[in-house]
Amino acid sequence: MNPLVLPGVYAPQEDTELLAGALSDEPLPPGAEVLDVGTGSGALALEAARRGLRVTAVDVSWGAVLAARLNARLAGLRVRIRHGNLFGPVRGETFDLILANPPYVPAPHGHRAPRGAARAWDAGGDGRMVVDRICREAPALLRPGGVLLLVQSALSGPDLTVAQLRAAGLKAAVTRRQRIAFGPVLRGRENWLRERGLLSADEDKEELVVVRAELPV
């Protein structure tokens, strides 16, 4: 998974790999409709397209849209790529699978809208600015039997994500976990996260999780 990454576009990292693993577990037939929301460089969209799935990718960043289009062309894969905020470009459509790697890092100045590259990780004071929107809006875009796969940090409340999706009528659970070393963003906020009680005094790794939610048939 080594796509071209343009300046300011989120590069595939451990969360991308974790979500790609969850994608590989899904028994989707060729031609199934997949939405990759917040596609970044398009890495997950291309993974889905390689399986013969019909893929739509969306990102709010024009740089990400350009990167995803370039990577799809270089790979010789057909992906429909749209610019827009979350589900805005696909209103009225439904999908067999939705992939989401949203921003999920709690930010000290959570009342400020993130700008530039930080839009790929800053997500308000509790890290749920975009995750909550996905929980509210994604169920309406799933077909019966459709699945949402969402990756987030344990710092941003995966239990709340599961509870919200269950309240929306989906069968939801955490299906994958991985502990990773702090990256540059978390290292820069380590003291603040400890002061807020989001990290314990001796905690030196971040836990990533994949939440899988399925709309009953």
Side-chain angles (χ1 to χ4, degrees):
M1 188 182 295
N2 295 299
L4 174 69
V5 178
L6 300 181
V9 176
Y10 186 73
Q13 298 181 41
E14 290 95 336
D15 51 4
T16 315
E17 295 286 351
L18 192 63
L19 194 53
L23 167 62
S24 70
D25 288 342
E26 292 296 324
L28 294 164
E33 297 270 3
V34 176
L35 173 65
D36 180 23
V37 62
T39 194
S41 64
L44 289 164
L46 298 184
E47 287 290 311
R50 289 187 183 99
R51 291 179 53 182
L53 307 175
R54 299 175 63 186
V55 183
T56 299
V58 175
D59 205 290
V60 71
S61 161
W62 275 112
V65 169
L66 176 58
R69 287 175 176 167
L70 286 172
N71 284 316
R73 181 173 297 179
L74 290 170
L77 295 168
R78 179 174 294 180
V79 179
R80 184 178 65 147
I81 301 166
R82 297 289 181 265
H83 174 260
N85 192 332
L86 213 57
F87 301 114
V90 292
R91 293 292 180 204
E93 300 182 41
T94 57
F95 300 88
D96 300 294
L97 177 68
I98 297 175
L99 300 167
N101 184 359
Y104 51 68
V105 179
H109 305 291
H111 59 283
R112 300 178 189 170
R115 301 179 63 183
R119 290 185 298 180
W121 55 80
D122 278 356
D126 59 1
R128 298 192 58 85
M129 182 173 64
V130 180
V131 172
D132 283 339
R133 283 189 59 195
I134 293 173
C135 291
R136 289 194 303 268
E137 300 177 26
L141 279 77
L142 288 173
R143 296 170 181 169
V147 170
L148 166 69
L149 295 174
L150 180 148
V151 64
Q152 67 176 96
S153 172
L155 298 173
S156 51
D159 289 345
L160 181 55
T161 300
V162 169
Q164 289 181 353
L165 291 168
R166 288 178 178 173
L170 279 64
K171 297 183 289 184
V174 172
T175 56
R176 283 178 175 248
R177 298 179 183 269
Q178 180 181 353
R179 294 183 66 79
I180 65 169
F182 293 160
V185 175
L186 253 61
R187 285 199 300 272
R189 297 178 186 175
E190 188 173 343
N191 290 337
W192 177 78
L193 291 167
R194 295 192 197 284
E195 290 169 2
R196 291 201 61 198
L198 293 174
L199 285 174
S200 64
D202 59 350
E203 202 167 357
D204 62 356
K205 291 186 182 297
E206 179 188 16
E207 184 178 45
L208 301 177
V209 306
V210 172
V211 175
R212 182 185 188 274
E214 181 175 347
L215 184 65
V217 177

